[in-house]
Amino acid sequence: MTHLGELHSAIRPTTLHEEVAARLRTLIFERRLAPGAWVDEKALAAEWGISRTPLREALKVLAAEGLVTAVPRRGCQVVELSEDDAQQLFPVMALLEGRCAHEAALRATDAELAELQRLHEDLELYAAARDVNGYYRANHAFHTRVQALAGNRWLDRATNELRKFMRMLRGRQLHWPGRLEASIAEHRALIEALVRRDAHRAERLMHDHLMAQLQALQALRAAESGAARPAHIPPSTPREAP
């Protein structure tokens, strides 16, 4: 039972295991801990100059979040999203991010939309340079900002929960031939709709943008597995809102 005195004591700053959890997430999102990899607790503890206790506490947090799987007597393994996971995740994320774009178009101030345009300009620069890693980082910043501009805490909470799993893929679909060019074209249409405050069109374009990512990811995985390339991958040209 909690003692009354504890309720009046100073709240501690971020605990060590929370900082370790944040570092582990970064390693996973940047694929320095690749999907399916085992977490080497001994090596990480030595590298970070900590005992294995806070590391294990951090891994419990990540296991609860679904980023790693704890295997008895073997340790923790980074979760690997399957084909079925992707097929189920992207449509839900498309709905959520579409709604983020809808609400951002209605609620963002002119100054905030100008900031969003500057983020889009970063995307243009990375696309022109064919810098996939830079484009991925700028794309993440753009989508995260649209989510914030929606100003809906419930939508924000749901989107954040699933965005963690999207980040585990680290934009792999951008390596599919033509996907980078298609993605920036989709973004051009999207930023135009947002600036015009056309909420319905922005929602549809964002939704289709996410679904085009899924199509490219499926094509890439099929090629990597040696399966026959799909007979037809529908173009990812943004559709007009009805």
Short mmCIF file of all heavy atoms in Angstrom, two decimals, residues 46 72 89 92-93 103 105 114 130 133 154 161 170 178 180 183 188-189 198 215 220:
data_model
loop_
_atom_site.label_atom_id
_atom_site.label_comp_id
_atom_site.label_asym_id
_atom_site.label_seq_id
_atom_site.Cartn_x
_atom_site.Cartn_y
_atom_site.Cartn_z
N ALA A 46 27.42 -3.22 -21.25
CA ALA A 46 28.84 -2.81 -21.21
C ALA A 46 29.04 -1.52 -22.00
O ALA A 46 29.75 -0.61 -21.56
CB ALA A 46 29.71 -3.92 -21.78
N PRO A 72 11.49 -17.14 -22.97
CA PRO A 72 12.09 -17.72 -21.76
C PRO A 72 13.43 -18.38 -22.04
O PRO A 72 13.59 -19.11 -23.02
CB PRO A 72 11.04 -18.77 -21.32
CG PRO A 72 9.74 -18.24 -21.87
CD PRO A 72 10.10 -17.59 -23.18
N LEU A 89 -2.10 -3.50 -40.86
CA LEU A 89 -1.67 -2.24 -40.26
C LEU A 89 -1.90 -1.04 -41.17
O LEU A 89 -2.43 -0.01 -40.74
CB LEU A 89 -0.19 -2.34 -39.88
CG LEU A 89 0.50 -1.07 -39.38
CD1 LEU A 89 -0.17 -0.56 -38.10
CD2 LEU A 89 1.99 -1.33 -39.14
N VAL A 92 -5.48 0.54 -41.48
CA VAL A 92 -5.89 1.24 -40.27
C VAL A 92 -5.14 2.56 -40.14
O VAL A 92 -5.71 3.61 -39.82
CB VAL A 92 -5.64 0.36 -39.02
CG1 VAL A 92 -6.02 1.11 -37.74
CG2 VAL A 92 -6.44 -0.93 -39.11
N MET A 93 -3.83 2.54 -40.42
CA MET A 93 -3.04 3.76 -40.36
C MET A 93 -3.50 4.75 -41.42
O MET A 93 -3.49 5.97 -41.18
CB MET A 93 -1.56 3.42 -40.55
CG MET A 93 -0.61 4.51 -40.07
SD MET A 93 -0.73 4.76 -38.28
CE MET A 93 0.54 6.01 -38.07
N GLU A 103 -8.44 17.01 -40.22
CA GLU A 103 -8.56 17.96 -39.11
C GLU A 103 -7.47 19.02 -39.17
O GLU A 103 -7.70 20.18 -38.79
CB GLU A 103 -8.55 17.20 -37.79
CG GLU A 103 -9.75 16.26 -37.67
CD GLU A 103 -10.03 15.79 -36.26
OE1 GLU A 103 -9.52 16.41 -35.30
OE2 GLU A 103 -10.77 14.80 -36.11
N ALA A 105 -6.25 20.32 -41.89
CA ALA A 105 -6.67 21.30 -42.91
C ALA A 105 -7.65 22.31 -42.33
O ALA A 105 -7.68 23.47 -42.74
CB ALA A 105 -7.29 20.56 -44.09
N ALA A 114 2.37 27.22 -43.28
CA ALA A 114 3.62 27.66 -43.91
C ALA A 114 4.78 26.80 -43.42
O ALA A 114 5.69 26.44 -44.19
CB ALA A 114 3.87 29.13 -43.59
N ARG A 130 17.66 11.91 -54.55
CA ARG A 130 17.44 10.47 -54.43
C ARG A 130 18.07 9.92 -53.16
O ARG A 130 18.66 8.82 -53.15
CB ARG A 130 17.95 9.72 -55.67
CG ARG A 130 17.29 10.15 -56.97
CD ARG A 130 17.48 9.15 -58.09
NE ARG A 130 16.99 7.83 -57.73
CZ ARG A 130 15.70 7.48 -57.73
NH1 ARG A 130 14.77 8.36 -58.06
NH2 ARG A 130 15.35 6.25 -57.38
N ASN A 133 17.25 7.71 -47.31
CA ASN A 133 17.28 7.84 -45.86
C ASN A 133 16.87 9.24 -45.42
O ASN A 133 16.11 9.41 -44.46
CB ASN A 133 18.67 7.51 -45.31
CG ASN A 133 18.97 6.02 -45.37
OD1 ASN A 133 18.06 5.19 -45.28
ND2 ASN A 133 20.23 5.68 -45.54
N TRP A 154 -7.29 12.34 -28.87
CA TRP A 154 -7.66 10.93 -29.01
C TRP A 154 -7.10 10.35 -30.30
O TRP A 154 -6.60 9.22 -30.34
CB TRP A 154 -9.18 10.78 -28.94
CG TRP A 154 -9.72 11.27 -27.64
CD1 TRP A 154 -10.46 12.40 -27.42
CD2 TRP A 154 -9.53 10.68 -26.35
NE1 TRP A 154 -10.75 12.54 -26.09
CE2 TRP A 154 -10.19 11.49 -25.40
CE3 TRP A 154 -8.87 9.53 -25.89
CZ2 TRP A 154 -10.21 11.21 -24.04
CZ3 TRP A 154 -8.87 9.24 -24.54
CH2 TRP A 154 -9.55 10.07 -23.64
N GLU A 161 0.29 5.18 -31.21
CA GLU A 161 0.42 3.76 -30.87
C GLU A 161 0.81 2.93 -32.09
O GLU A 161 1.67 2.05 -32.01
CB GLU A 161 -0.90 3.26 -30.28
CG GLU A 161 -0.89 1.80 -29.88
CD GLU A 161 0.04 1.48 -28.72
OE1 GLU A 161 0.38 2.41 -27.95
OE2 GLU A 161 0.44 0.32 -28.60
N ARG A 170 10.73 1.33 -41.44
CA ARG A 170 11.69 2.36 -41.86
C ARG A 170 11.63 2.65 -43.36
O ARG A 170 12.66 2.72 -44.06
CB ARG A 170 13.11 1.98 -41.45
CG ARG A 170 14.05 3.18 -41.54
CD ARG A 170 15.39 2.96 -40.91
NE ARG A 170 16.30 4.04 -41.24
CZ ARG A 170 16.28 5.24 -40.68
NH1 ARG A 170 15.40 5.53 -39.75
NH2 ARG A 170 17.14 6.17 -41.06
N GLY A 178 10.62 3.44 -58.62
CA GLY A 178 9.58 4.41 -58.92
C GLY A 178 8.80 4.90 -57.71
O GLY A 178 8.04 5.87 -57.81
N LEU A 180 9.85 6.38 -54.88
CA LEU A 180 10.27 7.68 -54.39
C LEU A 180 9.62 8.79 -55.22
O LEU A 180 9.10 9.77 -54.66
CB LEU A 180 11.79 7.80 -54.44
CG LEU A 180 12.41 9.07 -53.84
CD1 LEU A 180 12.12 9.15 -52.34
CD2 LEU A 180 13.91 9.09 -54.08
N SER A 183 5.93 8.92 -54.44
CA SER A 183 5.67 9.46 -53.10
C SER A 183 5.72 10.98 -53.09
O SER A 183 4.86 11.65 -52.51
CB SER A 183 6.69 8.90 -52.11
OG SER A 183 6.48 9.44 -50.81
N ARG A 188 3.02 16.37 -53.08
CA ARG A 188 2.72 17.66 -53.71
C ARG A 188 1.21 17.91 -53.74
O ARG A 188 0.74 19.02 -53.45
CB ARG A 188 3.28 17.70 -55.14
CG ARG A 188 4.79 17.81 -55.20
CD ARG A 188 5.29 17.62 -56.63
NE ARG A 188 6.75 17.49 -56.67
CZ ARG A 188 7.40 16.73 -57.54
NH1 ARG A 188 6.73 16.04 -58.45
NH2 ARG A 188 8.73 16.66 -57.50
N ALA A 189 0.47 16.88 -54.11
CA ALA A 189 -1.00 17.02 -54.13
C ALA A 189 -1.54 17.22 -52.72
O ALA A 189 -2.46 18.02 -52.50
CB ALA A 189 -1.62 15.79 -54.78
N ASP A 198 -8.76 22.19 -48.06
CA ASP A 198 -9.73 21.26 -48.62
C ASP A 198 -9.62 19.96 -47.81
O ASP A 198 -8.89 19.04 -48.16
CB ASP A 198 -9.42 21.01 -50.10
CG ASP A 198 -10.50 20.21 -50.80
OD1 ASP A 198 -11.25 19.48 -50.11
OD2 ASP A 198 -10.59 20.28 -52.04
N GLN A 215 1.20 -1.07 -51.25
CA GLN A 215 1.36 -1.72 -52.54
C GLN A 215 2.83 -1.87 -52.90
O GLN A 215 3.28 -2.92 -53.37
CB GLN A 215 0.62 -0.94 -53.62
CG GLN A 215 -0.90 -0.98 -53.49
CD GLN A 215 -1.59 -0.08 -54.49
OE1 GLN A 215 -0.96 0.80 -55.09
NE2 GLN A 215 -2.87 -0.28 -54.68
N LEU A 220 7.88 -5.08 -53.24
CA LEU A 220 9.28 -5.24 -52.85
C LEU A 220 9.50 -6.58 -52.16
O LEU A 220 10.47 -7.30 -52.46
CB LEU A 220 9.69 -4.10 -51.93
CG LEU A 220 11.13 -4.12 -51.41
CD1 LEU A 220 12.11 -3.97 -52.55
CD2 LEU A 220 11.35 -3.01 -50.38
#
